[in-house]
Amino acid sequence: MTAEYKVHGDVAVITLNNPPVNGLGYATRRGIADGLANALGDAAVKAIVVTGAGKAFSGGADIKEFGSPKALAEPNLLSVIALLEASTKPVVAAIHSVCMGGGLELALGCHYRVAAPGTSVALPEVKLGLIPGAGGTQRLPRVLGVETALNMIVSGEPVKSELLAGLPGQKLFDKMAASVDSVVQEAIDFAKDVAAKGGALPRVRDLPCKHPQGDAYFQFAKNMVAGMAKNFPAPVKCVETVQAATKLKFDDGMAEERRVFTALMFTPESSALRHIFVAERAASKIPDVADDTPKREIKTVGVIGAGTMGGGISMNFLNAGIPVKILEMKQEALDRGVATIRKNYESQVKRGKLAQDKYDQRMALLSTTLSYDDLGDCDLIIEAVFEEMGVKEQVFKKLDEVAKPGAILASNTSTLDVNKIAAFTRRPQDVVGMHFFSPANVMKLLEVVRGEKTAKDVLATVMAIARKIRKTAVVSGVCDGFIGNRMIEQYSRQAGFLLDEGATPQQVDKAIEKFGFAMGPFRMGDLAGNDIGWAIRKRRAVETPDMKYSRTADKLCELGRFGQKTGAGWYDYKPGKRDAIPSELVNKMVEEHRKELGITPRKISDEEIVQRLVFALVNEGAHILEDGIASKAGDIDMVYLTGYGFPVWRGGPMHYASQVGLYNVAATMKRFAANPNDDGAFWEPAGLIQKLAAEGKTF
């Protein structure tokens, strides 16, 4: 049962019970409507209280029903709210813990609201590319005032109930309860009082809704919002729909809200954001690792290497209140690493992002050592040493000697074989890849690399610790480059071929940045260091000599142009600045290389640049799914959205390909395969793409 009905004296209590957040799915809506009918049909019942079981009043729509017929089946949420509003007996919402989205709209349909302190109140639909769709844009401005309501609706951010209760003239809450534990009883007592008094029942819809500056205020709000959310239509529509609440009769405003909500539901941006919402939650689920798998206790973490990566990794754990011990081979390296961590925190303190006492607490959790023996008591040890198998071998053999039984041994490798690394120990079941992205204290992505022998409880523990340090963790199988770097290699190869055929680095970067990437492939290479890709290509030349690359990147490295760190890469850089200045020398080098190859340059459109770069990601992503390296397309999208700057409003490469249509994607790939200057074999669409396209399906 997802809504329980009980009578306490002369008050009926309807309790939503659909864990974890009492989502308003079909069965729950039906239960509320049935409970209301029972209460109205029982002469002994004088008033009704609606509340939520467990740790929420209601978090809104039931995500399990997204896009299904059940989401719209009667009674839909609008019908349920209409029933509550029309009740001839007073209906009191007992709000606590979480009251968001449809849950808040449901509460606004009740005659009265009693709230517990500490309740998170929000209308977060804008984060899904939508506006509230069950009266939120029409009712919230009536109880909180236009400006407060509009700020909440446009941002989608939660606000605590006590802050809202303290606003002058607010009519959202009729009473603040003493605590979460007492809110239902206080609501029952309140319901008895209002029932005894009799009289007309108040409805939010009947309250006035105006702004003193009227159209001038809304024009200002629209300009502000449009500038901040240029790739997303929903925020501006939030402003327009709240404006409608101030100009139209209530029912006409509701009709306008519904019209806008329905139109937004079909935009690619909303489709992308809803996909991300589901994919982010699904990423933490590993098909063969049950949610109740026991987890190992992580009380202390060891980090090997105090460089940029080691320091960044350490900060994640310090931020979460977990003690960290950093190991280095030389005192100077340790001192440099600790100084960098200190500097990062001090910068946050200066900017008002971190309180001084929090900074002191974090630094107190940090200790250092020059001896592996001191890592013997750590529960999790992460190495962040040079990306070379011989170096990793030394580290893991040493860890095998000193780490306590049951300690998790993690490698921050970005491309190397985790199975080989695990084989350097006598405990391969305890070894896992934890690939952080630079800067590790900022980037959200954590690729969790599952070795052949990695134990399930190790995986469960690492996924849990990732949540604790606020990372989006995605599980990858073992292959060269895992998910992200295996795909980015194909993207980078295409960028090189585009230079060979007539494009310039700045044209390629501008085209893909206009598409929405945070940074184009050549600016990205300069930031990461072009020598990293050079080392990979040298290794490839031995391991897979048939793989074709443009030689331009190697020629660049032969000139010592490794990127920002050397002041010159694909672009020129002025000392102390990161602005990418087009380089005449590089453009000449590219032209010379074309002549050597006998290629006559051609005009390449921005559309071709985008398609070749993005569809290269898609094709390799499909191979990754076929190989079982990723378990679902959404995981690949999360990797690219949180680690590689793929535009959020496009939902990730695999979702974007599904939006374009896999039949169209496959046809475009076949066209690229005919290009003599490209790698034709690569452009054979992956079997999975061909299968899904033939069946008219998506990823």
Side-chain angles (χ1 to χ4, degrees), residues 494-625:
Q494 282 304 312
F497 295 146
L498 285 161
L499 294 189
D500 290 349
E501 293 170 44
T504 62
Q506 47 272 31
Q507 187 200 350
V508 173
D509 282 351
K510 272 185 185 157
I512 201 72
E513 286 164 16
K514 193 173 166 195
F515 174 78
F517 267 79
M519 201 177 276
F522 298 107
R523 282 179 61 215
M524 185 179 74
D526 279 359
L527 178 66
N530 295 308
D531 49 329
I532 294 169
W534 195 23
I536 290 168
R537 288 190 300 279
K538 286 174 183 171
R539 180 159 63 83
R540 283 274 184 277
V542 177
E543 293 169 3
T544 48
D546 296 340
M547 193 179 269
K548 181 181 172 185
Y549 290 93
S550 163
R551 278 271 299 132
T552 48
D554 292 350
K555 285 175 175 282
L556 186 82
C557 289
E558 284 159 12
L559 293 171
R561 295 179 68 98
F562 296 155
Q564 289 185 16
K565 61 187 172 187
T566 57
W570 293 104
Y571 296 90
D572 294 330
Y573 298 90
K574 287 184 177 165
K577 294 198 173 175
R578 289 174 175 253
D579 302 334
I581 303 160
S583 167
E584 276 306 308
L585 186 149
V586 169
N587 288 340
K588 269 205 181 70
M589 177 199 81
V590 170
E591 284 167 22
E592 289 300 319
H593 181 57
R594 269 185 218 129
K595 283 178 190 162
E596 287 168 22
L597 295 172
I599 295 174
T600 305
R602 64 182 175 89
K603 192 168 169 49
I604 300 175
S605 69
D606 285 0
E607 182 188 31
E608 182 184 339
I609 290 169
V610 168
Q611 286 182 336
R612 282 174 68 175
L613 294 179
V614 176
F615 292 172
L617 293 175
V618 171
N619 207 27
E620 194 61 25
H623 287 305
I624 281 170
L625 288 169

Side-chain angles (χ1 to χ4, degrees), residues 647-661:
V648 169
W649 65 93
R650 299 193 190 275
M654 311 312 275
H655 176 80
Y656 175 72
S658 293
Q659 293 288 96
V660 170

Side-chain angles (χ1 to χ4, degrees), residues 304 309 313 382-389 391-392 396 409-422 431-437 446-450 476-485 536 539 644:
I304 302 173
M309 191 52 94
I313 291 170
I382 305 168
E383 64 75 13
V385 300
F386 188 66
E387 187 73 343
E388 199 273 314
M389 192 59 92
V391 180
K392 307 280 189 197
F396 275 84
L409 310 181
S411 173
N412 178 52
T413 179
S414 55
T415 54
L416 299 178
D417 187 334
V418 170
N419 292 327
K420 267 190 192 167
I421 291 170
V431 177
V432 67
M434 286 179 76
H435 177 208
F436 289 82
F437 286 70
L446 175 65
E447 267 185 326
V448 176
V449 186
R450 180 181 193 171
S476 169
V478 175
C479 68
D480 202 325
F482 315 128
I483 296 170
N485 284 342
I536 290 168
R539 180 159 63 83
Y644 290 84

Side-chain angles (χ1 to χ4, degrees), residues 31 50-51 105 152 183 241 280 337 381 537 593 642 645 670 683 694:
V50 179
T51 192
E105 290 172 308
M152 284 181 68
V183 70
T241 321
E280 188 167 12
I381 304 170
R537 288 190 300 279
H593 181 57
T642 57
K670 283 174 180 164
W683 283 118

Side-chain angles (χ1 to χ4, degrees), residues 1-181:
M1 191 62 182
T2 56
E4 295 161 359
Y5 179 83
K6 281 183 184 165
V7 178
H8 299 250
D10 58 357
V11 177
V13 178
I14 301 168
T15 305
L16 318 186
N17 192 0
N18 181 17
V21 292
N22 299 321
L24 295 166
Y26 172 73
T28 308
R29 300 193 304 270
R30 180 87 257 168
I32 298 167
D34 290 348
L36 193 60
N38 287 341
L40 293 173
D42 185 345
V45 169
K46 304 296 181 211
I48 301 146
V49 167
V50 179
T51 192
K55 295 184 178 175
F57 172 74
S58 172
D62 191 334
I63 62 167
K64 296 191 283 288
E65 292 184 5
F66 265 19
S68 76
K70 276 188 174 179
L72 300 172
E74 286 287 358
N76 62 33
L77 185 54
L78 286 161
S79 307
V80 172
I81 291 169
L83 290 172
L84 293 170
E85 206 168 46
S87 169
T88 52
K89 297 176 182 180
V91 182
V92 181
I95 299 165
H96 66 90
S97 310
V98 173
C99 181
M100 294 189 186
L104 177 55
E105 290 172 308
L106 184 82
L108 288 167
C110 298
H111 302 119
Y112 303 97
R113 287 156 294 282
V114 175
T119 304
S120 290
V121 181
L123 287 173
E125 289 81 0
V126 72
K127 295 183 177 186
L128 299 179
L130 299 168
I131 64 168
T137 64
Q138 304 304 296
R139 287 190 178 91
L140 196 65
R142 285 174 157 83
V143 294
L144 283 181
V146 168
E147 291 193 23
T148 303
L150 184 59
N151 286 339
M152 284 181 68
I153 292 166
V154 166
S155 73
E157 292 299 323
V159 182
K160 290 299 178 191
S161 51
E162 54 269 38
L163 288 177
L164 295 172
L167 296 173
Q170 71 82 27
K171 296 180 180 71
L172 175 56
F173 304 128
D174 298 278
K175 183 179 194 300
M176 283 300 287
S179 70
V180 173
D181 296 333

Side-chain angles (χ1 to χ4, degrees), residues 50-374:
V50 179
T51 192
K55 295 184 178 175
F57 172 74
S58 172
D62 191 334
I63 62 167
K64 296 191 283 288
E65 292 184 5
F66 265 19
S68 76
K70 276 188 174 179
L72 300 172
E74 286 287 358
N76 62 33
L77 185 54
L78 286 161
S79 307
V80 172
I81 291 169
L83 290 172
L84 293 170
E85 206 168 46
S87 169
T88 52
K89 297 176 182 180
V91 182
V92 181
I95 299 165
H96 66 90
S97 310
V98 173
C99 181
M100 294 189 186
L104 177 55
E105 290 172 308
L106 184 82
L108 288 167
C110 298
H111 302 119
Y112 303 97
R113 287 156 294 282
V114 175
T119 304
S120 290
V121 181
L123 287 173
E125 289 81 0
V126 72
K127 295 183 177 186
L128 299 179
L130 299 168
I131 64 168
T137 64
Q138 304 304 296
R139 287 190 178 91
L140 196 65
R142 285 174 157 83
V143 294
L144 283 181
V146 168
E147 291 193 23
T148 303
L150 184 59
N151 286 339
M152 284 181 68
I153 292 166
V154 166
S155 73
E157 292 299 323
V159 182
K160 290 299 178 191
S161 51
E162 54 269 38
L163 288 177
L164 295 172
L167 296 173
Q170 71 82 27
K171 296 180 180 71
L172 175 56
F173 304 128
D174 298 278
K175 183 179 194 300
M176 283 300 287
S179 70
V180 173
D181 296 333
S182 69
V183 70
V184 174
Q185 187 55 54
E186 291 190 54
I188 290 170
D189 295 341
F190 184 88
K192 284 180 179 175
D193 288 347
V194 294
K197 284 175 190 162
L201 295 170
R203 302 185 306 175
V204 170
R205 63 182 289 146
D206 299 329
L207 293 171
C209 185
K210 288 282 171 231
H211 189 280
Q213 273 83 49
D215 289 350
Y217 166 73
F218 284 107
Q219 191 54 55
F220 168 76
K222 224 178 284 184
N223 293 344
M224 287 285 290
V225 169
M228 290 163 66
K230 58 183 178 186
N231 296 303
F232 298 97
V236 168
K237 292 296 178 189
C238 288
V239 180
E240 291 173 358
T241 321
V242 171
Q243 184 176 16
T246 68
K247 287 180 163 260
L248 305 176
K249 288 180 180 170
F250 183 81
D251 286 331
D252 294 338
M254 286 292 292
E256 177 62 8
E257 179 190 85
R258 201 71 203 155
R259 184 192 69 74
V260 173
F261 176 87
T262 305
L264 286 171
M265 183 68 86
F266 292 99
T267 60
E269 294 83 2
S270 177
S271 172
L273 291 172
R274 283 180 283 129
H275 165 70
I276 293 165
F277 181 82
V278 174
E280 188 167 12
R281 281 147 187 79
S284 63
K285 309 283 183 196
I286 308 169
D288 64 333
V289 179
D291 288 345
D292 60 358
T293 302
K295 294 165 188 69
R296 302 187 188 184
E297 205 170 18
I298 306 295
K299 285 184 178 170
T300 54
V301 173
V303 174
I304 302 173
T308 306
M309 191 52 94
I313 291 170
S314 299
M315 285 178 74
N316 289 300
F317 293 97
L318 297 173
N319 296 349
I322 300 169
V324 174
K325 196 174 284 181
I326 300 183
L327 167 77
E328 259 295 354
M329 295 299 99
K330 291 185 178 162
Q331 189 62 47
E332 309 89 85
L334 264 185
D335 294 343
R336 261 198 319 273
V338 172
T340 303
I341 292 172
R342 207 176 274 288
K343 189 174 151 201
N344 285 339
Y345 280 139
E346 282 168 358
S347 155
Q348 288 177 29
V349 172
K350 240 181 233 164
R351 297 198 316 271
K353 302 266 184 187
L354 184 68
Q356 181 67 42
D357 62 333
K358 284 264 193 277
Y359 162 51
D360 296 336
Q361 283 166 20
R362 289 175 188 183
M363 288 309 295
L365 292 170
L366 181 63
S367 59
T368 61
T369 181
L370 297 170
S371 168
Y372 271 93
D373 293 337
D374 290 335

